[in-house]
């Protein structure tokens, strides 16, 4: 018995010691170091709440720290719900969303202060909040993946609406992701509830729900489905993991004309109205959206960092996924995505919600 | 004097237990405080898909519970009650799936399906998904069953055998009743895991109440509906708690013989000793196989361009271990009044208090995390975003594991021994330290280890409450998923470390169980 107590004690002590030393290393290693800091007065630390790809935010903030000395505290996988639960005590200065929804939702809740007009002007038109509550800093587009061993490019639907035709029955995968909800909300706003319902019923009857955009990509690549509705960057991420686009069997397809199937969705940057660092936050957003600032990094970073997301400053082109200007997306007010209740209710009614 | 002392002690224990139960209930209270309504629940139930998700949740819970009992009890009988070869090695292998987080095995199973059976729905169907979940959860039944099998008095079996010579009578009348508390505790843990699971369910294509709650938050930003649906989850968990209470509520097995215990009776396998071992290996291999395979493939991928940053892997490793040990320590201390009260004074009040502790375990951890965000930013803002709030979250989530295993330990350290010591003039504190505690120690240790193990694998709460710029192995692993598919090329180092970190507590747990398993000859 005494032996056993001693063993337990030794193990606990060892692990505790490891933990203490580790926690110490953890805090050095984790914080975005201020290597470039040369200023005399201590710079503010900006607290970023984000649900973007963690590596992209880490790279962007690190580059900004190197340039200005401003340090960052980062909350990854942040949600609007967390900020609301924190209430007045929220430490968030800036929210960097992945999809437009959360940024629009914060704006609609009156939690954001306006972004500087000069910053908004640095971005291609139509991508940021029309009210100026948040600014786009990256973008993704909806696409169709296809597997050429099963279906040829010329047999693909010419518009998203065609995918519910009988010839495509059982031929494609889809996923009820946030981007799918956004597409649904867009269709309701532009084409009305009845037409959207018919379209969704067609998707349900013709397609296979693979639950996640990543699964849509993987099942099309594996040849389980001929086509799949997803977002552009998942394909480029897989391509880079496999050693280049030529290593993949599947291909990316953009619908040839302006089409909801090419819908562009912005990643939005907003400044919390409660932030005590308004000026510093505005300066960060100005850099984030500048062609020679954050945009350059997004355009040139490898796929495992920037995930082949599109830069949004005019003239800046992703070295992986190309020019956002080539994507034929309809323009719409993404602030409308603050409330997707109609889409939510319709998808639930049809049993298509996740 | 002694009488008053005892009454004071009893009142203090009860008060402590109440306080701990109240702490565990904070997330449930939050559901009401921050707005949820039965009206919203009714509105959601109007959709057939919500009702279908409830049935799906119930179906998965029942099937996974059934499969885990079959695997857990079956495995325990084979290693502890037969003359199978290498029983100790089998025990270690059977417990090993505990070291792998549920969402990792689900992602691995899915990835393996894509590699080997790309066009099938092997793991994404109802039965396939149940199987994948069961393979990660059965050790929660297996481990307590091994210990319980050992506590059966062989004389009891002999008596039954003499009265009812049928082969199965001994199993039905002696072994099964003795296993009931272990099965009850195991099934409770398994069922609540299934009800609250998110990541694995999505990957396995299952739409459950928890995935609905998470979709409300993540896809629709509708937190009110998320909280309201969580009420339904809490109700489902209450049913599970009641059902498992019935399984557990049984008389403690009798003791016929006196003096020291004899070794249990073994089923002689004869020339089947090796084949049975090989056949039972299928279970643990199916459980760990996909994860081991995909991790190895990831680490040896020829296209792998990423250089592993081992210093950040190491930092995440020690942060994870630190939080886990802290959670285990606090949970052990807080669980004590509850487990002590319910074993020493098993009345209605103490039993209900003990059940309440479990309720938090069944609420989606994202809701629990939001509750703690809400509370911490108001009650203790200076602690928010420090490790203490995250450790508290782990404690609330995994406290039931500590309570359950402490109970097992305290039952083994019978009240009689304490009374004997008292009659010899030993004071209460001395009695506890010299008699009750040492006898219950294995249970306390097992509880603490399980808390540490589950805390080190936790993801959802961790993501929300982790201090700024800190990382655990799970959060690093998650960061490689892009919120979608686990990329085993980038994730492999973290998966590897997470499993290695898990192997230590699993080894400690098994060492405890192994005392009940020894190799036998026919």
């Amino acid at each position: 018995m005494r032996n056993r107590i001693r063993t337990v004690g030794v193990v606990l002590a060892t692990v505790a010691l490891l933990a203490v030393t580790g926690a110490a290393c953890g805090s050095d290693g984790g914080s975005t170091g201020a290597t470039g800091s040369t200023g005399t007065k201590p710079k503010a630390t900006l607290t970023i709440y984000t649900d973007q790809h963690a590596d992209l935010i880490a790279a962007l903030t690190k580059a900004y720290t190197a340039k200005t000395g401003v340090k960052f505290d980062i909350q990854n996988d942040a949600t609007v719900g967390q900020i609301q639960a924190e209430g007045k005590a929220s430490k968030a200065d800036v929210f960097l969303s992945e999809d437009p929804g959360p940024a629009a939702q914060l704006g609609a809740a009156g939690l954001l202060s306006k972004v500087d007009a000069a910053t908004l002007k640095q971005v291609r038109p139509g991508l940021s909040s029309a009210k100026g509550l948040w600014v786009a800093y990256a973008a993704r587009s909806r696409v169709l993946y296809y597997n050429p061993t099963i279906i040829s490019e010329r047999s693909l639907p010419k518009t998203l609406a065609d995918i519910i035709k009988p010839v495509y029955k059982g031929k494609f995968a889809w996923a009820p992701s946030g981007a799918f909800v956004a597409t649904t909300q867009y269709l309701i706003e532009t084409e009305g509830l009845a037409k959207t319902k018919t379209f969704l019923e067609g998707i349900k009857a013709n397609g296979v729900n693979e639950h996640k955009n990543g699964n849509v990509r993987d099942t099309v690549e594996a040849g389980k489905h001929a086509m799949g509705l997803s977002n552009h960057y998942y394909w480029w991420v897989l391509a880079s993991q496999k050693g280049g686009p030529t290593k993949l069997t599947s291909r990316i397809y953009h619908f040839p004309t302006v089409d909801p199937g090419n819908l562009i969705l912005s990643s939005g940057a907003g400044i919390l109205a409660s932030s005590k660092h308004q000026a510093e936050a505005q300066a960060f957003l100005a850099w984030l959206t500048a062609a020679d600032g954050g945009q350059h990094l997004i355009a040139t970073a490898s796929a495992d960092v920037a995930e082949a997301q599109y830069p949004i400053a005019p003239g800046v082109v992703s070295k992986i996924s190309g020019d956002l200007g080539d994507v034929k997306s309809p323009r719409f007010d993404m602030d409308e995505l603050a409330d997707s209740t109609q889409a939510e209710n319709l998808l639930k009614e049809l049993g298509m919600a996740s | 004097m002694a009488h008053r002392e005892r009454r004071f002690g009893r009142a203090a224990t009860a008060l402590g237990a109440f306080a701990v139960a109240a702490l565990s209930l904070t997330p449930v209270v939050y559901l009401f405080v921050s707005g949820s309504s039965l009206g919203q629940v009714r509105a959601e139930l109007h959709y057939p898909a919500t009702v279908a998700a409830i049935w799906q949740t119930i179906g998965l819970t029942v099937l996974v519970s059934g499969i885990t009992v079959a695997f857990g009890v079956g495995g325990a009988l084979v290693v502890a009650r037969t003359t199978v070869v290498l029983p100790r090695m089998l025990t270690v292998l059977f417990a090993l799936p505990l070291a792998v987080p549920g969402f990792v095995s689900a992602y691995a199973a899915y990835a393996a399906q894509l590699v080997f059976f790309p066009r099938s729905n092997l793991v994404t169907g109802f039965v396939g998904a149940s199987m994948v979940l069961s393979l990660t959860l059965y050790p929660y039944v297996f481990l307590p069953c091994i210990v319980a099998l050992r506590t059966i008095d062989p004389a009891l079996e002999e008596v039954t055998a003499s009265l009812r010579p049928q082969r199965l009578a001994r199993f039905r009348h002696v072994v099964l009743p003795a296993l009931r508390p272990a099965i009850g505790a195991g099934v409770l843990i398994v069922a609540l895991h299934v009800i609250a699971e998110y990541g694995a369910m999505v990957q396995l294509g299952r739409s459950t109440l928890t995935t609905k709650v998470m979709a409300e938050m993540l896809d629709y930003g509708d937190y009110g509906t998320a909280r309201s649906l969580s009420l339904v989850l809490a109700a489902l968990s209450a049913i599970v708690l009641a059902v498992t209470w019935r399984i557990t509520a049984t008389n403690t097995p009798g003791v016929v013989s006196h003096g020291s215990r004899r070794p249990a009776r073994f089923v002689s396998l004869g020339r089947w000793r090796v084949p049975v071992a090989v056949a039972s290996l299928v279970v643990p291999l199916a459980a760990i196989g996909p994860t081991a395979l995909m991790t190895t493939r990831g680490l040896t991928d020829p296209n792998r361009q990423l250089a592993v940053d081992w210093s950040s892997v190491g930092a995440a490793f020690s942060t994870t271990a630190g939080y886990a040990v802290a959670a285990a320590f606090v949970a052990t201390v807080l669980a004590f009044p509850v487990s002590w009260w319910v074993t020493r004074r098993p009345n209605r009040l103490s039993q209900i208090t003990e059940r309440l502790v479990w309720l938090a375990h069944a609420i989606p951890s994202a809701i629990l995390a939001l509750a703690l965000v809400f509370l911490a930013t108001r009650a203790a803002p200076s602690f928010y975003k420090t490790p203490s709030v995250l450790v508290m979250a782990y404690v609330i989530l995994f406290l039931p594991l500590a309570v359950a295993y402490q109970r097992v330990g305290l039952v083994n350290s019978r009240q009689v021994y304490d009374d004997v010591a008292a009659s010899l003039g030993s004071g209460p504190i001395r009695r506890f330290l010299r008699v009750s505690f040492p006898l219950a120690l294995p249970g306390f240790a097992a509880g603490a280890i399980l808390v540490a193990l589950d805390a080190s694998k936790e993801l959802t709460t961790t993501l929300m409450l982790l201090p700024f710029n800190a990382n655990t192995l799970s959060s690093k692993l998650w960061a490689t998923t892009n919120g979608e598919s686990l990329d085993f090329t980038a994730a492999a180092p973290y998966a590897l470390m997470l499993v290695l970190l898990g192997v230590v507590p699993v080894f400690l747990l098994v060492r405890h169980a192994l005392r009940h398993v020894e190799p036998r000859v026919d």
Side-chain angles (χ1 to χ4, degrees):
Chain A
M1 175 60 68
R2 192 166 299 159
N3 250 342
R4 201 177 327 126
I5 298 176
R6 198 183 302 150
T7 318
V8 172
V10 167
V11 169
L12 280 178
T14 315
V15 181
L17 193 67
L18 263 176
V20 170
T21 50
C25 307
S27 46
D28 302 343
S31 73
T32 21
T35 41
S37 174
T38 47
T40 42
K41 86 176 169 99
K43 300 277 180 141
T45 297
L46 281 177
T47 303
I48 306 274
Y49 274 44
T50 181
D51 59 353
Q52 249 289 3
H53 186 48
D55 287 345
L56 175 58
I57 300 304
L60 286 168
T61 50
K62 210 169 251 173
Y64 191 68
T65 303
K67 191 173 149 54
T68 63
V70 172
K71 294 185 193 176
F72 292 92
D73 278 339
I74 299 172
Q75 165 72 57
N76 285 309
D77 297 276
T79 56
V80 175
Q82 180 169 0
I83 288 185
Q84 284 172 338
E86 289 170 352
K88 290 193 187 107
S90 182
K91 295 178 180 173
D93 295 310
V94 171
F95 195 96
L96 299 177
S97 77
E98 176 162 343
D99 278 318
Q105 222 184 333
L106 288 171
L111 294 172
L112 297 181
S113 47
K114 287 206 170 180
V115 177
D116 282 347
T119 301
L120 290 160
K121 276 204 198 97
Q122 296 190 110
V123 174
R124 293 173 202 243
L127 295 175
S128 306
S129 156
K131 301 184 197 85
L133 291 172
W134 51 269
V135 61
Y137 67 94
R140 64 270 321 282
S141 89
R142 296 289 289 167
V143 291
L144 186 70
Y145 300 145
Y146 69 101
N147 189 318
T149 62
I150 311 176
I151 190 166
S152 69
E153 186 176 353
R154 59 190 169 74
S155 311
L156 296 174
K158 296 290 177 283
T159 81
L160 179 62
D162 284 352
I163 207 163
I164 65 172
K165 286 183 174 170
V167 285
Y168 299 118
K169 189 161 181 61
K171 290 253 166 44
F172 68 93
W174 61 280
S177 63
F180 188 83
V181 177
T183 308
T184 304
Q185 188 64 31
Y186 166 79
L187 290 173
I188 293 173
E189 310 268 354
T190 52
E191 311 205 352
L193 204 58
K195 272 183 99 172
T196 308
K197 189 176 175 189
T198 313
F199 172 72
L200 288 176
E201 282 166 345
I203 293 279
K204 193 182 177 187
N206 263 10
V208 178
N209 182 352
E210 285 287 354
H211 303 281
K212 298 173 96 174
N213 281 325
N215 296 356
V216 169
R217 170 197 70 190
D218 294 338
T219 50
V220 174
E221 174 66 20
K224 186 176 175 186
H225 307 289
M227 308 180 291
L229 294 167
S230 189
N231 296 351
H232 83 281
Y233 57 92
Y234 293 115
W235 190 84
W236 290 105
V237 168
L238 185 66
S240 94
Q241 284 163 9
K242 300 283 177 197
T246 52
K247 298 279 167 66
L248 294 190
T249 311
S250 60
R251 290 283 170 266
I252 266 193
Y253 174 77
H254 300 274
F255 294 96
T257 53
V258 173
D259 195 282
N262 300 330
L263 203 66
I264 289 176
L265 295 167
S266 303
S267 297
I271 299 167
L272 276 295
S274 56
S275 164
K276 294 185 185 74
H277 303 114
Q278 296 287 330
E280 292 91 338
Q282 292 285 5
F284 173 60
L285 262 51
W287 174 86
L288 184 64
T289 51
D292 56 352
Q295 294 305 301
H296 177 71
L297 190 150
I298 293 173
T300 54
S302 65
D304 56 290
V305 172
E307 285 197 307
Q309 298 186 52
Y310 291 108
I312 45 67
V316 183
V317 173
S318 164
K319 73 164 187 185
I320 300 169
S321 51
D323 188 350
L324 184 65
D326 295 341
V327 178
K328 297 188 174 100
S329 165
R331 275 209 200 167
F332 75 113
D333 180 4
M334 289 186 228
D335 270 330
E336 281 169 7
L337 297 175
D339 182 6
S340 56
T341 313
Q342 283 176 299
E344 179 186 346
N345 290 346
L346 183 57
L347 289 167
K348 281 182 183 169
E349 193 184 312
L350 297 172
M352 296 171 76
S354 47
Chain B
M1 182 65 196
H3 187 63
R4 198 190 300 161
E5 211 171 61
R6 186 171 274 198
R7 270 206 357 219
F8 172 76
R10 236 182 266 166
T13 314
L15 272 179
F18 283 143
V20 172
L23 176 75
S24 305
L25 283 177
T26 40
V28 186
V29 172
Y30 163 79
L31 289 182
F32 289 99
V33 171
S34 60
S36 57
S37 71
L38 288 176
Q40 258 168 336
V41 173
R42 261 198 301 276
E44 290 306 307
L45 289 178
H46 154 81
Y47 299 115
T50 313
V51 181
I54 293 177
W55 284 115
Q56 177 81 219
T57 310
I58 294 172
L60 285 169
T61 308
V62 171
L63 185 56
V64 172
S65 300
I67 301 176
T68 50
V69 168
F71 286 169
V73 174
L77 286 172
V78 168
V79 298
R81 282 308 185 93
T82 69
T83 55
V84 73
V85 290
L86 302 172
R88 284 161 179 269
M89 194 196 74
L90 276 177
T91 309
V92 173
L93 285 174
F94 259 94
L96 209 51
L98 267 186
V100 185
F103 75 94
V104 173
S105 354
Y107 276 75
Y110 185 84
Q113 171 184 293
L114 276 178
V115 173
F116 299 106
F117 311 97
R119 299 187 187 201
S120 81
N121 291 318
L122 208 60
V123 303
T124 44
F126 176 74
V127 176
S130 301
M131 195 53 104
V132 173
L133 291 166
S134 304
L135 285 169
T136 66
L137 292 172
Y138 75 84
Y140 288 110
V141 180
F142 171 74
L143 286 173
C145 279
I146 290 190
V147 180
L149 278 175
R150 184 61 179 189
T151 56
I152 300 173
D153 185 353
L156 209 57
E157 293 182 64
E158 283 152 17
V159 172
T160 318
S162 67
L163 295 172
R164 290 191 170 208
Q166 298 94 331
R167 259 194 154 185
L168 280 176
R170 196 151 56 91
F171 182 72
R172 264 187 52 207
H173 296 288
V174 181
V175 178
L176 204 55
L179 280 181
R180 274 173 67 166
I183 294 175
V187 165
L188 180 54
I189 295 170
V190 167
L192 294 184
H193 265 96
V194 173
I195 288 177
E197 177 61 49
Y198 170 60
M201 290 297 183
V202 175
Q203 192 58 42
L204 298 173
R206 300 291 97 203
S207 180
T208 67
L209 260 178
T210 293
T211 67
K212 291 270 176 219
V213 169
M214 295 301 287
E216 288 297 338
M217 294 197 277
L218 299 178
D219 295 341
Y220 310 120
D222 187 346
Y223 292 86
T225 304
R227 285 191 295 264
S228 300
L229 281 177
S230 299
L231 290 179
V232 184
L233 272 171
L236 272 186
S237 326
I239 297 173
V240 170
L241 286 169
V243 170
T244 49
W245 194 352
R246 300 283 309 204
I247 302 180
T248 316
T250 175
N251 301 324
T252 19
V255 178
V256 178
S257 52
H258 288 275
S260 68
R261 217 166 252 172
R262 287 175 296 136
R265 291 169 56 126
F266 295 107
V267 174
S268 180
L269 292 176
R271 59 203 166 96
W272 291 97
R273 290 181 71 203
V274 175
V276 166
V278 173
S280 41
L281 269 180
V282 171
V283 172
L285 287 185
I288 345 164
T291 307
L293 186 70
M294 296 316 291
T295 305
T296 314
R297 274 176 66 107
L299 283 171
T300 56
D301 189 336
N303 290 314
R304 189 184 173 81
Q305 299 155 335
L306 305 156
V308 181
D309 178 3
W310 285 107
S311 77
S312 83
V313 176
F317 180 90
S318 41
T319 307
T320 311
Y323 294 167
V325 170
F329 179 75
V330 179
T332 303
V333 172
L334 291 188
F336 177 67
V338 182
S339 59
W340 178 264
W341 193 29
V342 77
T343 36
R344 291 300 184 253
R345 309 268 150 222
N347 53 43
R348 187 58 56 88
L349 195 60
S350 65
Q351 282 166 338
I352 288 177
T353 309
E354 187 262 348
R355 292 278 112 170
L356 286 180
V357 171
W358 285 89
L359 214 49
H361 206 59
I363 288 173
S365 29
I367 296 276
L368 172 91
L370 279 178
L372 283 167
V373 168
F374 185 88
L375 280 175
T377 46
R378 280 155 188 78
S382 51
F383 286 98
Y384 184 54
K385 283 286 160 189
T386 67
S388 48
V389 174
L390 179 57
V391 167
M392 228 36 232
Y394 289 151
V395 169
I396 293 178
L397 270 173
F398 305 122
L399 189 65
L401 296 172
V403 172
Y405 279 80
Q406 287 186 6
R407 273 186 80 175
V408 173
L410 286 169
V411 167
N412 281 343
S413 126
R414 288 161 201 258
Q415 175 74 48
V416 205
Y417 303 142
D418 196 60
D419 293 342
V420 170
S423 72
L424 296 172
S426 183
I429 294 173
R430 191 182 154 79
R431 279 201 315 272
F432 175 73
L433 289 178
R434 297 287 305 274
V435 181
S436 297
F437 184 66
L439 284 168
L441 186 68
F444 276 67
I449 290 166
L450 272 179
V451 171
L453 191 58
D454 267 22
S456 68
K457 297 189 290 187
E458 211 283 334
L459 178 64
T460 318
T461 315
T462 310
L463 290 178
M464 213 180 290
L465 297 173
L466 201 56
F468 292 128
N469 307 328
N471 280 299
T472 67
L473 291 170
S474 312
S475 80
K476 281 299 245 183
L477 190 71
W478 181 249
T480 68
T481 63
N482 318 319
E484 288 289 332
S485 314
L486 196 55
D487 161 20
F488 275 91
T489 332
Y494 296 104
L496 183 70
M497 295 310 274
L498 206 49
V499 173
L500 287 182
L501 182 64
V503 166
V504 178
V506 168
F507 173 74
L508 290 175
L509 275 176
V510 169
R511 235 175 61 104
H512 161 58
L514 279 179
R515 292 185 300 119
H516 303 285
V517 173
E518 61 260 354
R520 278 121 354 211
V521 283
D522 275 306

